[in-house]
Short mmCIF file of all heavy atoms in Angstrom, two decimals:
data_model
loop_
_atom_site.label_atom_id
_atom_site.label_comp_id
_atom_site.label_asym_id
_atom_site.label_seq_id
_atom_site.Cartn_x
_atom_site.Cartn_y
_atom_site.Cartn_z
N ARG A 149 24.96 0.43 3.52
CA ARG A 149 25.66 0.51 2.22
C ARG A 149 25.02 1.63 1.39
O ARG A 149 25.79 2.35 0.68
CB ARG A 149 25.43 -0.85 1.49
CG ARG A 149 26.23 -1.97 2.09
CD ARG A 149 26.13 -3.24 1.27
NE ARG A 149 26.70 -3.08 -0.07
CZ ARG A 149 26.62 -4.00 -1.01
NH1 ARG A 149 26.11 -5.20 -0.80
NH2 ARG A 149 27.15 -3.78 -2.23
N LEU A 150 23.68 1.84 1.52
CA LEU A 150 23.10 2.94 0.81
C LEU A 150 23.53 4.28 1.30
O LEU A 150 23.78 5.20 0.55
CB LEU A 150 21.56 2.79 0.92
CG LEU A 150 20.73 3.86 0.15
CD1 LEU A 150 21.09 3.82 -1.34
CD2 LEU A 150 19.23 3.61 0.34
N GLU A 151 23.71 4.36 2.67
CA GLU A 151 24.20 5.65 3.17
C GLU A 151 25.63 5.93 2.72
O GLU A 151 25.93 7.06 2.39
CB GLU A 151 24.27 5.53 4.77
CG GLU A 151 22.87 5.62 5.36
CD GLU A 151 22.90 5.42 6.88
OE1 GLU A 151 23.91 4.82 7.35
OE2 GLU A 151 21.97 5.90 7.60
N GLU A 152 26.42 4.89 2.57
CA GLU A 152 27.78 5.05 2.11
C GLU A 152 27.79 5.51 0.68
O GLU A 152 28.53 6.41 0.29
CB GLU A 152 28.57 3.71 2.26
CG GLU A 152 30.01 3.87 1.79
CD GLU A 152 30.68 2.47 1.94
OE1 GLU A 152 30.15 1.57 2.55
OE2 GLU A 152 31.87 2.36 1.43
N ALA A 153 26.96 4.90 -0.14
CA ALA A 153 26.88 5.23 -1.54
C ALA A 153 26.30 6.62 -1.71
O ALA A 153 26.75 7.43 -2.59
CB ALA A 153 26.05 4.22 -2.31
N ALA A 154 25.25 6.93 -0.95
CA ALA A 154 24.59 8.23 -1.05
C ALA A 154 25.53 9.33 -0.60
O ALA A 154 25.62 10.44 -1.18
CB ALA A 154 23.33 8.25 -0.21
N GLY A 155 26.41 9.03 0.38
CA GLY A 155 27.33 10.07 0.82
C GLY A 155 28.36 10.53 -0.24
O GLY A 155 28.82 11.63 -0.18
N GLN A 156 28.56 9.61 -1.18
CA GLN A 156 29.47 9.99 -2.28
C GLN A 156 28.81 10.94 -3.25
O GLN A 156 29.53 11.65 -4.02
CB GLN A 156 29.90 8.73 -2.99
CG GLN A 156 30.68 7.69 -2.18
CD GLN A 156 30.94 6.39 -2.85
OE1 GLN A 156 30.62 6.21 -4.02
NE2 GLN A 156 31.48 5.44 -2.13
N VAL A 157 27.47 10.91 -3.23
CA VAL A 157 26.77 11.85 -4.13
C VAL A 157 26.51 13.16 -3.46
O VAL A 157 26.61 14.23 -4.02
CB VAL A 157 25.37 11.21 -4.57
CG1 VAL A 157 24.61 12.17 -5.43
CG2 VAL A 157 25.64 9.88 -5.33
N ASN A 158 26.06 13.11 -2.19
CA ASN A 158 25.71 14.23 -1.45
C ASN A 158 26.02 14.02 0.02
O ASN A 158 25.40 13.08 0.69
CB ASN A 158 24.22 14.53 -1.60
CG ASN A 158 23.82 15.89 -0.96
OD1 ASN A 158 24.28 16.27 0.11
ND2 ASN A 158 22.87 16.59 -1.59
N SER A 159 26.93 14.72 0.61
CA SER A 159 27.38 14.48 1.99
C SER A 159 26.32 14.58 2.99
O SER A 159 26.40 14.21 4.12
CB SER A 159 28.52 15.43 2.33
OG SER A 159 28.14 16.75 2.21
N GLY A 160 25.14 15.30 2.62
CA GLY A 160 24.11 15.48 3.60
C GLY A 160 23.10 14.35 3.65
O GLY A 160 22.33 14.24 4.61
N VAL A 161 23.07 13.51 2.60
CA VAL A 161 22.07 12.45 2.55
C VAL A 161 22.17 11.52 3.68
O VAL A 161 21.14 11.03 4.23
CB VAL A 161 22.16 11.74 1.20
CG1 VAL A 161 21.22 10.52 1.12
CG2 VAL A 161 21.77 12.71 0.04
N ASP A 162 23.41 11.08 4.06
CA ASP A 162 23.55 10.08 5.10
C ASP A 162 23.35 10.62 6.46
O ASP A 162 23.58 9.88 7.46
CB ASP A 162 24.93 9.41 4.97
CG ASP A 162 26.09 10.43 5.13
OD1 ASP A 162 25.77 11.62 4.98
OD2 ASP A 162 27.21 9.98 5.39
N LYS A 163 22.98 11.91 6.57
CA LYS A 163 22.75 12.46 7.96
C LYS A 163 21.27 12.57 8.25
O LYS A 163 20.95 13.10 9.26
CB LYS A 163 23.36 13.87 8.03
CG LYS A 163 24.85 13.94 7.67
CD LYS A 163 25.70 13.18 8.70
CE LYS A 163 27.20 13.42 8.53
NZ LYS A 163 27.69 12.99 7.21
#
Side-chain angles (χ1 to χ4, degrees):
R149 291 184 64 181
L150 182 58
E151 286 176 339
E152 181 181 352
Q156 299 172 4
V157 178
N158 185 325
S159 59
V161 172
D162 61 341
K163 303 297 190 296

